[in-house]
C-alpha cells in the first residue's frame, strides 16, 4: 500500500511539473511578443490582435463600421512605382489634421514602410530613388500630406455620412438668410452640397472647419450670411445708416424709462379722482 501511494504521489508531482513548465512557456511567449512590439511593427500588430483590437465584442464592440482607438490606421502613398506607408493612431488623425497635436503623437513609428503588416522596411537607396532624399522625417511628412488613410468602405461610408450630417447641422445653426433671418433649411444645404463640383468631404477633418469653407461656396447659390453678421448689419452696410434694430431698441429703452419716471411721479404727487390717477401740474 505504501508503494502504491508513493507511485500516485510521484505521478501527480510529474503532472504538476509539466503544467508549471507549460505555463512558464506561455508567459515567456507573451513577454517576448510584448518585447518585439517595441521594435517591430509586425510584433505591434500581433500584440494589438492579442488584445482584441479591431474585433467585435459582446459589449461596446465595433458594430457600426467604426475603428477601435487602439487599432492602427495606415496612411498610404503611391510613388516611384511603390507604395509607402506610415502607421498612425486612429483616434489621433483628426486632431493632427487640425494642427492640434504634433506628428510624434500621431505616429506609432516615425519611419516609412513599404508593407507595414509584413514589417518591410525600405532601404535608403529606394527611399532616395522615390523621394529624392534620405531624410526620413521629410518622407513621412510627404506621406502624411499627400497620402490617403486606409479605411474600409463600410468605415468610410459611416464616417462620411456622419461628417456630412455634422456639416449640415453646423451651417444650419450658424448661418441664416439675410432678409428673413431664418435658418437655412437642411434640405437646401444638402442640395447645395450635391451641386458643388469637386467637393470632397474629409472624414478626418473637423465639421466646423469644413462647414466654414463650404458656406463660402454656398453663397454663390443662395443668400446666406453668418448669424453674427445678421440682417441689420447687412442693411446698414448697404444704406450707410445705423442698424434699425439698435435704433428701435434705444427708443424702446427711453420710452420704458419715461413710463417708469411718470409712474413714480404719479405715486408721489398725484391725487385720486373717480378711481383714476391724475398727475399734478406742479411739475
Amino acid at each position: 500500500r505504501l508503494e502504491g501511494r508513493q507511485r500516485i504521489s510521484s505521478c501527480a508531482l510529474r503532472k504538476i511539473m509539466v503544467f508549471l513548465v507549460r505555463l512558464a512557456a506561455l508567459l515567456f511567449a507573451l513577454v517576448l511578443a510584448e518585447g518585439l512590439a517595441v521594435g517591430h511593427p509586425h510584433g505591434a500588430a500581433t500584440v494589438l490582435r492579442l488584445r482584441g483590437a479591431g474585433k467585435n465584442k459582446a459589449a461596446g464592440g465595433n458594430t457600426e463600421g467604426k475603428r477601435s482607438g487602439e487599432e492602427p490606421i495606415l496612411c498610404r502613398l503611391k510613388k516611384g512605382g511603390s507604395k509607402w506607408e506610415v502607421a498612425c493612431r486612429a483616434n489621433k488623425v483628426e486632431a493632427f489634421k487640425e494642427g492640434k497635436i504634433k506628428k510624434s503623437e500621431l505616429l506609432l513609428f516615425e519611419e516609412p514602410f513599404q508593407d507595414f503588416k509584413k514589417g518591410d522596411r525600405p532601404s535608403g537607396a529606394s527611399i532616395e530613388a522615390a523621394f529624392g532624399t534620405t531624410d526620413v522625417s521629410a518622407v513621412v511628412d510627404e506621406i502624411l500630406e499627400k497620402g490617403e488613410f486606409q479605411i474600409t468602405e463600410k468605415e468610410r461610408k459611416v464616417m462620411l455620412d456622419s461628417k456630412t450630417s455634422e456639416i449640415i447641422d453646423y451651417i444650419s445653426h450658424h448661418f441664416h438668410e439675410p432678409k428673413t433671418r431664418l435658418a437655412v433649411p437642411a434640405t437646401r444645404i444638402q442640395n447645395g452640397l450635391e451641386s458643388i463640383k469637386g467637393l470632397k468631404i474629409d472624414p478626418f477633418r473637423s465639421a466646423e472647419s469644413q462647414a466654414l469653407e463650404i458656406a463660402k461656396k454656398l453663397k454663390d447659390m443662395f443668400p446666406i450670411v453668418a448669424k453674427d453678421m445678421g440682417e441689420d448689419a447687412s442693411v446698414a452696410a448697404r444704406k450707410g445708416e445705423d442698424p434699425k434694430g439698435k435704433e428701435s431698441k434705444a427708443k424702446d429703452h427711453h420710452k420704458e424709462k419715461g413710463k417708469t419716471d411718470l409712474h413714480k411721479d404719479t405715486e408721489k404727487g398725484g391725487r385720486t379722482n373717480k378711481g383714476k390717477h391724475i398727475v399734478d401740474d406742479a411739475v
Side-chain angles (χ1 to χ4, degrees):
R1 291 181 181 178
L2 182 59
E3 290 180 357
R5 290 177 181 176
Q6 289 178 346
R7 289 178 181 176
I8 294 173
S9 298
S10 178
C11 182
L13 182 61
R14 282 197 300 270
K15 290 182 179 180
I16 292 173
M17 291 296 295
V18 170
F19 172 77
L20 291 176
V21 169
R22 290 179 179 177
L23 179 62
L26 177 60
L27 292 175
F28 177 76
L30 290 175
V31 172
L32 181 61
E34 290 282 357
L36 288 174
V38 176
H40 198 280
H42 186 61
T46 301
V47 173
L48 287 173
R49 286 196 295 271
L50 287 173
R51 291 173 179 170
K55 293 183 178 180
N56 293 339
K57 298 180 181 179
N62 182 12
T63 59
E64 297 182 356
K66 295 182 180 179
R67 185 179 294 266
S68 165
E70 189 178 15
E71 186 179 1
I73 183 172
L74 302 179
C75 183
R76 181 179 299 162
L77 174 67
K78 292 183 179 180
K79 187 170 183 177
S82 302
K83 67 177 182 180
W84 305 86
E85 300 174 341
V86 288
C88 309
R89 295 176 175 86
N91 57 349
K92 299 288 186 180
V93 176
E94 181 172 322
F96 173 76
K97 285 207 165 192
E98 296 298 321
K100 296 178 181 178
I101 63 173
K102 298 179 180 179
K103 178 176 62 177
S104 58
E105 298 178 64
L106 169 72
L107 298 175
L108 286 170
F109 302 93
E110 296 190 35
E111 59 176 313
F113 294 86
Q114 290 191 308
D115 193 324
F116 174 76
K117 292 182 179 180
K118 294 180 179 179
D120 291 343
R121 288 180 169 90
S123 63
S126 60
I127 292 177
E128 186 173 11
F131 294 91
T133 179
T134 56
D135 186 347
V136 172
S137 180
V139 170
V140 171
D141 288 340
E142 183 173 345
I143 295 173
L144 290 174
E145 179 183 356
K146 300 179 181 179
E148 183 176 350
F149 287 93
Q150 303 301 299
I151 53 179
T152 65
E153 288 300 321
K154 184 177 181 180
E155 287 175 327
R156 182 172 294 278
K157 185 179 185 306
V158 170
M159 294 174 70
L160 283 176
D161 289 346
S162 176
K163 191 68 65 175
T164 301
S165 178
E166 290 177 23
I167 291 172
I168 293 174
D169 185 67
Y170 183 91
I171 295 176
S172 179
H173 282 79
H174 292 80
F175 290 81
H176 60 201
E177 296 176 345
K179 291 184 178 181
T180 63
R181 303 191 68 180
L182 297 176
V184 182
T187 53
R188 186 181 301 176
I189 299 173
Q190 177 68 46
N191 293 335
L193 294 181
E194 295 174 357
S195 301
I196 299 176
K197 294 182 179 180
L199 177 64
K200 290 185 178 180
I201 293 177
D202 190 337
F204 296 103
R205 284 183 58 199
S206 70
E208 180 180 355
S209 61
Q210 295 187 80
L212 294 175
E213 295 173 359
I214 292 173
K216 295 178 181 179
K217 299 179 180 180
L218 292 178
K219 290 180 180 180
D220 298 332
M221 303 178 184
F222 48 81
I224 180 174
V225 294
K227 280 189 176 181
D228 57 348
M229 295 172 62
E231 178 186 2
D232 295 333
S234 300
V235 172
R238 290 196 300 268
K239 295 185 177 181
E241 59 188 24
D242 293 334
K244 294 181 180 180
K246 293 183 178 179
E247 183 180 353
S248 177
K249 287 181 180 179
K251 288 182 180 180
D252 292 341
H253 173 72
H254 290 303
K255 188 182 294 184
E256 286 295 323
K257 187 175 184 301
K259 288 182 180 180
T260 303
D261 294 340
L262 180 61
H263 181 68
K264 289 180 179 178
D265 292 339
T266 302
E267 288 181 344
K268 290 180 180 179
R271 63 172 178 262
T272 305
N273 182 17
K274 293 183 180 181
K276 296 182 180 179
H277 292 289
I278 301 175
V279 182
D280 288 340
D281 295 331
V283 178

